[in-house]
Amino acid sequence: MLPAGHCKKITTMPDGISNSFIDDAVSKAVQLGLCFLKDRHQTRHVPFALTPAPIARSIVDQLETVAPLLGRLTQALAGRDELLQAVHAPLAAGDSFFAEMLSMHHELYRDPGRLLRVPLLLQRSDFMLDQQLGPRLVECNSIAAGMAPFGEQIHKLHAYLGKRWPAEFAKFHTQEPGELLPNSATANMARAINEAALQIARDSGAEEAPGFLMIVQENEDNVFDQQLLEQALEQLGLRTYRRTFRQLHGQLSSGPDNSLQLEDCGRIHVVYLRAGYQYQDYLATDLDTRRCCDALRATRLFIERHRVAVNATVAQQLATSKRMQMQLANDDGELLLELGFDATERSLLQAVLAPMRAVDANTARLLKDEASSAQWVLKNQGEGGGHCLFDDDILRRLDSLKSAQYGAWTLMQRLRPAGREQPTLLIRDGQTQQVQGLVSEIGLFTAHLGTKALQTGDDRPGHIGYLVRSKPVDVAEGGIHSGFGALDSLFVSGA
């Protein structure tokens, strides 16, 4: 029996689907750790699709080829200090958080001799399959790119349900021959982190077990996903610790050989930020005396001035902004060439970049004249859900912007995915919702340390695994936390 708070009584059920099937699916999801923390004493299962999303092998091959290139691109851009400052300068007046990021970046790079961290990139590149254009990049996530373990666990859930309940599963699964796409994301990410930690340890000559520090948000509800990764790291021999930025204040110090030391825990070899992409992660009203966020901002700067592998650095975070994505989308290939990508690689990267436009005083008028607001998505620089506007909401927001705010917004071509042909079920809070035309966002995880693609256990360097989030075609927000999205996996069928 599930603890209170895990699911609600199912009141309606599609024809031919039993309560026992859904109850078993929810129970198995909980057993696999597919849960969010509801409060200190209760959990709830993560919303999930009952059957996986079909995808053609050719699309998988394309995404698996381009994702490591995007990781390499992020690392190259993160090393271009002047470019990062120039591209993001227009944001400073209209986005206070990015103004702070630029300030931190400037402070770090004006004194490069003290910048001792090694940039570790655990990136998730998110794609959507437009029915006419094919795969297009939605965004790259260099900071807090989580849920790799959840991607693996939902794959295990679908494998279990297909074997345990074949008849019921088949009602909502493609009839085309194929197979579930393997996904060993947890072990692969752990191996990448371990390799980074061992490199830092070799540099120092120390023989102690490497230390791993995960920086998390206050009142974090996604602890299960994070703990799955921590368990895999501990099996490899790493010491793992969790702290918020607020908890780290006063706990970090410098040790021998510019090492980063955590109070009562020893040397830290890898810092992994699952927080730091929004202002509230840095708030500490009891500590800030001069201005907002000074104390915890200083903690992040302190980390980067030590010999430790860091994901994500301030530079990496800027390199994967929507503003930088627009710069790349509008580039004719000259920047990619300058960054060391050959003709084939440039073609692969440009093929997945959707058109983007800057916002200025004439944008609303142009969209009205072209009657084209339905062809675009208006985005600010925020991470997570709730940062996209569509249709007439675009025009209303543009009309309300002040000139200083234009730089904080971008227009991106709206993608029109075809949606799943086979109807399926979404399970949320133990209840079913039958959905036609479910659409999926596919995130591929990759790993780089500096310019090197890390060995992860996959037969291709840099590859970690994938995460799929699916949603009804008629809803805008597909986040697992913030919208109507559900965890999903991939079933490879066709050419």
Side-chain angles (χ1 to χ4, degrees), residues 25-103:
V26 172
S27 297
K28 187 65 176 180
V30 173
Q31 180 187 349
L32 290 169
L34 289 169
C35 298
F36 289 140
L37 195 62
K38 191 173 182 180
D39 56 37
R40 292 181 62 187
H41 306 291
Q42 291 185 320
T43 61
R44 60 185 177 93
H45 76 79
V46 178
F48 61 91
L50 196 66
T51 50
I55 189 170
R57 168 54 65 183
S58 60
I59 299 298
V60 171
D61 291 343
Q62 180 183 359
L63 297 182
E64 290 184 343
T65 300
V66 78
L69 293 178
L70 287 165
R72 198 178 110 204
L73 176 58
T74 295
Q75 295 292 68
L77 290 169
R80 298 290 299 272
D81 305 337
E82 293 183 1
L83 177 64
L84 293 178
Q85 287 286 328
V87 167
H88 294 94
L91 293 179
D95 189 313
S96 57
F97 180 69
F98 267 82
E100 197 66 51
M101 291 294 300
L102 283 172
S103 174

Side-chain angles (χ1 to χ4, degrees), residues 141-170:
N141 300 272
S142 61
I143 186 168
M147 293 195 182
F150 273 2
E152 178 175 345
Q153 298 305 88
I154 186 64
H155 167 269
K156 292 179 180 179
L157 176 62
H158 284 158
Y160 167 81
L161 293 176
K163 184 176 181 179
R164 175 67 179 81
W165 301 87
E168 292 83 349
F169 191 78

Side-chain angles (χ1 to χ4, degrees), residues 389-410:
L389 296 173
F390 301 86
D391 301 316
D392 289 343
D393 289 338
I394 295 176
L395 300 176
R396 283 190 285 269
R397 179 56 58 89
L398 291 174
D399 286 339
S400 71
L401 294 178
K402 298 178 181 178
S403 59
Q405 298 174 306
Y406 293 145
W409 294 83
T410 59

Side-chain angles (χ1 to χ4, degrees), residues 19 26-27 47 214 337 434:
N19 282 344
V26 172
S27 297
M214 185 184 296
L337 176 62
Q434 186 166 330

Side-chain angles (χ1 to χ4, degrees), residues 104-137:
M104 283 194 284
H105 179 262
H106 182 264
E107 188 171 339
L108 286 167
Y109 288 91
R110 71 184 179 186
D111 189 5
R114 297 181 62 198
L115 194 61
L116 301 175
R117 87 292 180 271
V118 179
L120 168 64
L121 181 65
L122 303 172
Q123 178 165 288
R124 193 185 72 229
S125 301
D126 292 335
F127 302 88
M128 192 166 280
L129 310 184
D130 186 272
Q131 56 188 308
Q132 294 183 337
L133 303 174
R136 287 297 181 270
L137 180 69

Side-chain angles (χ1 to χ4, degrees), residues 208-213 238-243 248 251-253 260-269:
E208 65 179 332
F212 170 81
L213 171 63
L238 276 73
R239 298 173 287 114
T240 66
Y241 309 99
R242 300 167 57 85
R243 300 287 190 277
L248 286 175
Q251 291 190 6
L252 295 176
S253 60
L260 182 68
Q261 302 284 328
L262 179 61
E263 184 178 9
D264 297 327
C265 300
R267 180 168 186 164
I268 296 299
H269 298 73

